[in-house]
Amino acid sequence: MVNNKFLVIYGDLAEKIQSGRFPAYSLLPSEHELAARYGVSRETIRKALNMLAQDGYIQKVRGKGSIVLDVARFNFPVSGLVSFKELAERSGKKWKTIVYELILQKPDHLMKNLLQITGNEDVWKVVRSRELDGERIILDIDFIKRSRVPTLTKEICENSLYEYFENDLGLVISFAKKEITVEEVTAADRAYLDLKGTDHVVVVKNFVHLDDATLIQYTESRHRLDKFRFVDFARRQKSVNGLLAGVRSGK
Amino acid sequence: MVNNKFLVIYGDLAEKIQSGRFPAYSLLPSEHELAARYGVSRETIRKALNMLAQDGYIQKVRGKGSIVLDVARFNFPVSGLVSFKELAERSGKKWKTIVYELILQKPDHLMKNLLQITGNEDVWKVVRSRELDGERIILDIDFIKRSRVPTLTKEICENSLYEYFENDLGLVISFAKKEITVEEVTAADRAYLDLKGTDHVVVVKNFVHLDDATLIQYTESRHRLDKFRFVDFARRQKSVNGLLAGVRSGK
DNA sequence: CAGTGGTCTAGACCACGGC
DNA sequence: CCGTGGTCTAGACCACTGG
């Protein structure tokens, strides 16, 4: 059960936009109107509307109203923090995960630095390839702090680490810093991916944090070039850059 | 002059975090404390804090407080909607833009579709390469609606289109949908980029909209593989996927 | 001018963390 | 238990759009 009114309203409006009950380029009812309709205060409506704007459903225009954006045309932005299993199932295609390596090891210097380990903590290393429609197109190399994840099995790695973290261990994955670059293929790429002759892969480096801000996992996702796609909805910062100008130049 | 209290507070706190006056992994003063200190209501503080959380400066933990994140380690996320000029100048390197083509043309069928043109409107086509440290590493191909941008010169294209749109034409760029993929190089890439032998480029397709939600520009940015880097700060969606489950499966 | 969204307030109650 | 952040309210004033 969801208790938060603004989340319910967000979901309701998002559904109505996606289903076309609020057509693209039309105006949403005004905030006052929505507040009356849902029986909540205007600030609660505004919270839901701001989330919709953030996620690319609407564009708010002062003095005018909230314009419904063409979600279909936007082709469903899938950035954010989503597991391969969630993505694959959303696509409706056949998927499989193959586990090549699952070991507990002492982190080397580089890995201690990346995972911010100071003591003698061990680290899980997991190497998996992701198969979609019969082709191994992604190679995932995970390093996970043992202090947060005491046990790990092949079965878990074949299903979904995030699902295990969240549902079984009660961990709450909260945010990640990700970096996308392109690198030359390694021996591991050649061994565990169906490369089709290309000599580069897209590399997504992911630092995953829990809701208490601690780092739990570093992941390197290596994608075959022709199968990589990243879609994002970006808003332009207004005066923030100006506000921070002194920080970059000064001190 | 910025009148918004929450923006001033956001900027002030962001500066204090970046300069280390609020050290990483420490707790910010509580919301009540900050409200008293800045002489504003708690909701105003919360607005600023939520923006800081969104941008990766802090992590809010219920019952505990707001944890300052390690911004230096996060290496300054530069996603969002930023012009090449803004990015280049931030990096401190020598940059130059070379204009190869600047023409007004009738859009073909594909372009009319991409730019959502229904009538007989003409479209600016601009082809430019971006040079950083003496190498042409990005090829930008822009298509711009003439109805929004009546005049365009080589000088403007050599400087910054966004700057011209915003400062001279009074347009407000608001959001974009972007898509990142990898494609094989074209003849134009070979002609206008210093490719160094690679046969693929990273392609960033950008649909840029104004604050009234109208589309103004479609841009294809083609990056040399070894110079492409995209950094993002992503938060995990909570129950939103659950709320929308019915949309994807049913009706 | 009326209607819209943007900002801000002072207060309330709740859920959670840690002592 | 107290202090934290999370949600919500009813109202206020402002800035902007449009007729």
Side-chain angles (χ1 to χ4, degrees):
Chain A
M1 283 307 95
V2 181
N3 261 334
N4 311 52
K5 298 188 185 179
F6 76 92
L7 262 186
V8 174
I9 295 170
Y10 170 92
D12 189 48
L13 292 175
E15 187 278 326
K16 286 192 167 75
I17 289 172
Q18 280 185 51
S19 69
R21 291 238 284 294
F22 286 137
Y25 309 112
S26 68
L27 285 176
L28 240 46
S30 78
E31 298 183 346
H32 275 106
E33 167 70 19
L34 287 172
R37 227 185 261 189
Y38 283 102
V40 299
S41 79
R42 192 176 145 224
E43 283 291 351
T44 301
I45 293 293
R46 285 180 54 73
K47 211 162 175 178
L49 291 189
N50 284 330
M51 280 182 62
L52 289 169
Q54 190 84 37
D55 295 349
Y57 284 98
I58 62 172
Q59 172 72 2
K60 309 188 79 178
V61 184
R62 195 213 214 66
K64 211 170 169 191
S66 295
I67 303 171
V68 177
L69 298 183
D70 196 341
V71 185
R73 191 180 171 78
F74 277 172
N75 211 357
F76 234 98
V78 184
S79 66
L81 202 46
V82 187
S83 75
F84 173 76
K85 185 186 175 185
E86 289 166 344
L87 258 181
E89 296 193 333
R90 208 176 290 185
S91 77
K93 289 179 182 163
K94 269 214 198 77
W95 65 275
K96 196 170 79 177
T97 293
I98 306 163
V99 179
Y100 294 106
E101 202 175 328
L102 168 58
I103 56 169
L104 203 53
Q105 65 179 21
K106 297 220 171 303
D108 60 14
H109 193 72
L110 170 67
M111 196 48 60
K112 281 183 88 161
N113 189 13
L114 286 179
L115 282 175
Q116 298 183 274
I117 294 175
T118 49
N120 272 323
E121 183 179 348
D122 283 352
V123 167
W124 290 104
K125 179 182 181 188
V126 185
V127 178
R128 302 175 289 176
S129 70
R130 314 293 205 152
E131 199 177 290
L132 212 59
D133 281 343
E135 285 183 308
R136 295 173 301 169
I137 56 172
I138 305 174
L139 179 63
D140 276 349
I141 308 173
D142 294 89
F143 298 90
I144 303 152
K145 286 191 175 184
R146 193 198 184 178
S147 59
R148 294 317 193 113
V149 183
T151 57
L152 205 52
T153 68
K154 187 159 169 283
E155 288 66 40
I156 292 166
C157 295
E158 279 169 349
N159 184 44
S160 168
L161 284 177
Y162 282 13
E163 206 174 291
Y164 174 62
F165 293 171
E166 294 184 329
N167 298 348
D168 298 329
L169 298 183
L171 302 172
V172 180
I173 293 167
S174 180
F175 63 92
K177 179 232 174 186
K178 35 178 49 169
E179 180 186 10
I180 303 177
T181 55
V182 178
E183 296 182 7
E184 292 184 10
V185 298
T186 63
D189 295 330
R190 291 191 201 281
Y192 303 132
L193 287 177
D194 300 320
L195 278 174
K196 284 198 165 176
T198 53
D199 52 1
H200 287 81
V201 287
V202 176
V203 180
V204 181
K205 298 186 171 105
N206 240 305
F207 294 87
V208 182
H209 296 251
L210 299 177
D211 62 344
D212 63 356
T214 57
L215 189 59
I216 180 180
Q217 177 193 26
Y218 168 73
T219 297
E220 217 171 285
S221 249
R222 308 175 68 87
H223 299 241
R224 203 173 80 188
L225 292 186
D226 62 312
K227 291 297 184 182
F228 178 78
R229 181 164 178 268
F230 181 88
V231 181
D232 195 22
F233 179 83
R235 287 193 174 271
R236 180 150 172 88
Q237 308 272 29
K238 293 192 181 163
S239 43
V240 177
N241 289 322
L243 285 170
L244 295 178
V247 179
R248 285 197 301 276
S249 55
K251 96 113 184 282
Chain B
M1 281 309 96
V2 181
N3 261 334
N4 310 52
K5 298 187 185 179
F6 76 93
L7 262 187
V8 173
I9 295 169
Y10 170 91
D12 189 50
L13 293 175
E15 187 277 327
K16 286 192 168 74
I17 289 171
Q18 279 185 50
S19 70
R21 290 238 283 296
F22 286 136
Y25 309 113
S26 69
L27 284 177
L28 239 47
S30 79
E31 298 183 348
H32 275 106
E33 167 70 19
L34 287 171
R37 227 185 260 189
Y38 283 101
V40 300
S41 78
R42 192 177 146 224
E43 282 291 350
T44 301
I45 293 294
R46 285 179 53 72
K47 212 162 175 178
L49 292 189
N50 283 332
M51 281 182 61
L52 290 169
Q54 191 82 38
D55 295 349
Y57 285 97
I58 61 172
Q59 172 72 3
K60 310 187 78 177
V61 184
R62 196 211 212 78
K64 207 170 170 190
S66 295
I67 303 171
V68 178
L69 297 183
D70 196 340
V71 184
R73 191 183 174 77
F74 276 171
N75 213 355
F76 234 98
V78 184
S79 66
L81 201 47
V82 186
S83 76
F84 174 77
K85 185 185 175 186
E86 289 166 343
L87 257 182
E89 296 193 333
R90 206 176 291 184
S91 77
K93 290 179 183 162
K94 269 212 200 76
W95 65 274
K96 196 169 79 176
T97 292
I98 305 162
V99 180
Y100 294 106
E101 201 174 329
L102 168 59
I103 56 170
L104 202 53
Q105 65 178 21
K106 298 221 171 302
D108 60 14
H109 192 73
L110 172 66
M111 197 48 60
K112 282 183 88 159
N113 189 13
L114 287 179
L115 282 175
Q116 297 183 273
I117 294 175
T118 49
N120 273 324
E121 183 178 349
D122 283 354
V123 167
W124 291 103
K125 179 183 181 186
V126 185
V127 178
R128 304 175 287 175
S129 70
R130 314 294 204 152
E131 199 177 289
L132 212 59
D133 282 343
E135 285 184 306
R136 295 174 300 169
I137 57 172
I138 305 175
L139 179 64
D140 274 350
I141 306 172
D142 295 271
F143 298 90
I144 303 152
K145 285 190 176 185
R146 192 197 186 180
S147 58
R148 294 317 193 114
V149 183
T151 57
L152 206 52
T153 68
K154 187 160 169 282
E155 287 65 40
I156 292 166
C157 295
E158 279 168 349
N159 184 44
S160 169
L161 284 177
Y162 282 13
E163 207 174 290
Y164 174 62
F165 293 170
E166 294 184 331
N167 298 347
D168 299 327
L169 298 184
L171 302 172
V172 179
I173 293 167
S174 180
F175 63 92
K177 180 234 173 186
K178 33 178 49 169
E179 178 186 13
I180 303 176
T181 55
V182 179
E183 295 182 6
E184 292 184 10
V185 298
T186 63
D189 295 331
R190 291 190 202 281
Y192 303 132
L193 287 177
D194 300 320
L195 277 175
K196 285 198 164 178
T198 54
D199 53 359
H200 287 80
V201 287
V202 177
V203 180
V204 181
K205 298 186 169 107
N206 241 305
F207 295 87
V208 182
H209 296 251
L210 299 176
D211 62 344
D212 64 355
T214 58
L215 190 58
I216 180 179
Q217 177 194 24
Y218 168 73
T219 297
E220 215 171 289
S221 249
R222 307 175 69 87
H223 299 242
R224 202 173 81 189
L225 291 186
D226 61 315
K227 292 295 183 182
F228 177 79
R229 183 164 175 269
F230 181 89
V231 181
D232 194 24
F233 180 83
R235 287 195 173 270
R236 179 147 173 92
Q237 308 273 30
K238 290 190 185 168
S239 42
V240 177
N241 289 321
L243 285 170
L244 295 178
V247 180
R248 286 197 302 276
S249 55
K251 65 141 158 285

